[in-house]
Amino acid sequence: MLSTPVVPPHLTPEAFPAERFVLDCRGHRLDCRPGLPQGAHVMGILNVTPDSFYDGGRYTTVEAAVRRATEMVSEGAAVIDVGGASSRPRGTVYGEGARPLSPEEEIDRVRPVIEALAEHLPGVPISIDTYHPEVARAALEAGASLVNDITGLRLFPETAAVAAAFGAPLIVMHSLGRPGAMPHAHTYTDVVADVAGVLRAAVERAEAAGVRHVVVDPGFGFGKTPEENLRLLEATDRLLALERPVLVGVSRKSTIGAVLGTKTDPVPPSERLFGSLGATAVAVLRGATLVRTHDVRPTVELLRGLAAAAGWRAVADG
């Protein structure tokens, strides 16, 4: 069973055990202890889908995907997260939800991209954004280094065994329902405690299957109101009590649109960059060390400024 330690008042690397916070991504080392000089690592989003809410259709060819991944790495991305199936929810904000894909269709989209990325960017960890164990296996065979399960093992717990077999870290995210049909109304007793409890159970399930390194993601925007999303963001440090690295993905989400506009008239995804950066800063100051984003360069620059201002990194002379 996981312990429930008190979160230290100062986020310093020494306060967090390296055996849990320094990830071995199949040979790629990724130190995810809070308070490191870089503040956090950036995970660049690479959707090879025609229907993702922000960048759908831009990178559906292998050539376009490799160009975009190379660009993100040059901008400072530490990880590339490849997704072949959109999780765009059904509802008033995005209309029809994403079309469900079979594992075979998803594999056909992601495998050639991951093979090409592994060849062109051999020093960069590649994450596969999937909850299907068959897709995870095919991606890991093609050269992926991490598995990012947005259902937190709810739908296919066997995905954990696949990650374990390849020695890959597993990201478990809190969400409700099936991707593409996420419910928008749910009553939480205490959204932070409830989400933390679900993530705790997912971590235990993953480790029971043999996964060595697990990352937790509160699932900003998945089955939560804007107020609940913001409460989770503010309480990022409470999730560190799970003693696992925390990933946040706020990039251009509908809650950001509601904050910058209103719930009934949110600003469009194209105008949500600065709101996304502000939310990211709050999460990182509270201990998140992986940031999943569409906008790599602005996020990297934000993190550099934040790290210097917070005293994590000295400004170089000259």
PDB file of all heavy atoms in Angstrom, residues 17 72-73 80 118 147 197 245:
ATOM      1  N   PRO A  17      12.129  10.887  -3.366  1.00  0.00           N
ATOM      2  CA  PRO A  17      13.002   9.732  -3.617  1.00  0.00           C
ATOM      3  C   PRO A  17      13.303   9.533  -5.092  1.00  0.00           C
ATOM      4  O   PRO A  17      12.393   9.463  -5.921  1.00  0.00           O
ATOM      5  CB  PRO A  17      12.204   8.556  -3.043  1.00  0.00           C
ATOM      6  CG  PRO A  17      10.780   9.023  -3.038  1.00  0.00           C
ATOM      7  CD  PRO A  17      10.830  10.491  -2.804  1.00  0.00           C
ATOM      8  N   MET A  72       9.735  20.666 -32.325  1.00  0.00           N
ATOM      9  CA  MET A  72       9.465  20.740 -30.892  1.00  0.00           C
ATOM     10  C   MET A  72      10.706  20.423 -30.073  1.00  0.00           C
ATOM     11  O   MET A  72      10.966  21.059 -29.046  1.00  0.00           O
ATOM     12  CB  MET A  72       8.306  19.814 -30.521  1.00  0.00           C
ATOM     13  CG  MET A  72       6.952  20.305 -31.014  1.00  0.00           C
ATOM     14  SD  MET A  72       5.535  19.427 -30.277  1.00  0.00           S
ATOM     15  CE  MET A  72       5.670  17.831 -31.101  1.00  0.00           C
ATOM     16  N   VAL A  73      11.492  19.456 -30.511  1.00  0.00           N
ATOM     17  CA  VAL A  73      12.731  19.130 -29.797  1.00  0.00           C
ATOM     18  C   VAL A  73      13.695  20.309 -29.863  1.00  0.00           C
ATOM     19  O   VAL A  73      14.345  20.656 -28.865  1.00  0.00           O
ATOM     20  CB  VAL A  73      13.365  17.854 -30.375  1.00  0.00           C
ATOM     21  CG1 VAL A  73      14.771  17.644 -29.819  1.00  0.00           C
ATOM     22  CG2 VAL A  73      12.491  16.642 -30.061  1.00  0.00           C
ATOM     23  N   ILE A  80       8.243  13.545 -26.654  1.00  0.00           N
ATOM     24  CA  ILE A  80       7.216  13.720 -27.683  1.00  0.00           C
ATOM     25  C   ILE A  80       6.104  12.723 -27.398  1.00  0.00           C
ATOM     26  O   ILE A  80       6.348  11.521 -27.284  1.00  0.00           O
ATOM     27  CB  ILE A  80       7.787  13.484 -29.102  1.00  0.00           C
ATOM     28  CG1 ILE A  80       8.923  14.464 -29.396  1.00  0.00           C
ATOM     29  CG2 ILE A  80       6.670  13.610 -30.140  1.00  0.00           C
ATOM     30  CD1 ILE A  80       8.537  15.927 -29.386  1.00  0.00           C
ATOM     31  N   ALA A 118      11.794   7.353 -33.824  1.00  0.00           N
ATOM     32  CA  ALA A 118      12.865   6.613 -33.155  1.00  0.00           C
ATOM     33  C   ALA A 118      14.144   6.642 -33.986  1.00  0.00           C
ATOM     34  O   ALA A 118      15.261   6.648 -33.442  1.00  0.00           O
ATOM     35  CB  ALA A 118      12.429   5.178 -32.900  1.00  0.00           C
ATOM     36  N   VAL A 147       4.175   5.006 -21.778  1.00  0.00           N
ATOM     37  CA  VAL A 147       2.764   4.830 -22.134  1.00  0.00           C
ATOM     38  C   VAL A 147       1.950   5.840 -21.346  1.00  0.00           C
ATOM     39  O   VAL A 147       2.092   5.972 -20.132  1.00  0.00           O
ATOM     40  CB  VAL A 147       2.273   3.399 -21.818  1.00  0.00           C
ATOM     41  CG1 VAL A 147       0.790   3.264 -22.157  1.00  0.00           C
ATOM     42  CG2 VAL A 147       3.097   2.375 -22.587  1.00  0.00           C
ATOM     43  N   GLY A 197      -7.653   9.864  -4.723  1.00  0.00           N
ATOM     44  CA  GLY A 197      -7.971   8.479  -4.375  1.00  0.00           C
ATOM     45  C   GLY A 197      -7.993   7.569  -5.586  1.00  0.00           C
ATOM     46  O   GLY A 197      -7.491   6.434  -5.547  1.00  0.00           O
ATOM     47  N   PRO A 245       5.739  11.465  -9.665  1.00  0.00           N
ATOM     48  CA  PRO A 245       5.757  12.707 -10.437  1.00  0.00           C
ATOM     49  C   PRO A 245       4.344  13.078 -10.898  1.00  0.00           C
ATOM     50  O   PRO A 245       3.521  12.207 -11.180  1.00  0.00           O
ATOM     51  CB  PRO A 245       6.652  12.374 -11.632  1.00  0.00           C
ATOM     52  CG  PRO A 245       7.480  11.215 -11.185  1.00  0.00           C
ATOM     53  CD  PRO A 245       6.605  10.422 -10.256  1.00  0.00           C
TER      54      PRO A 245
END
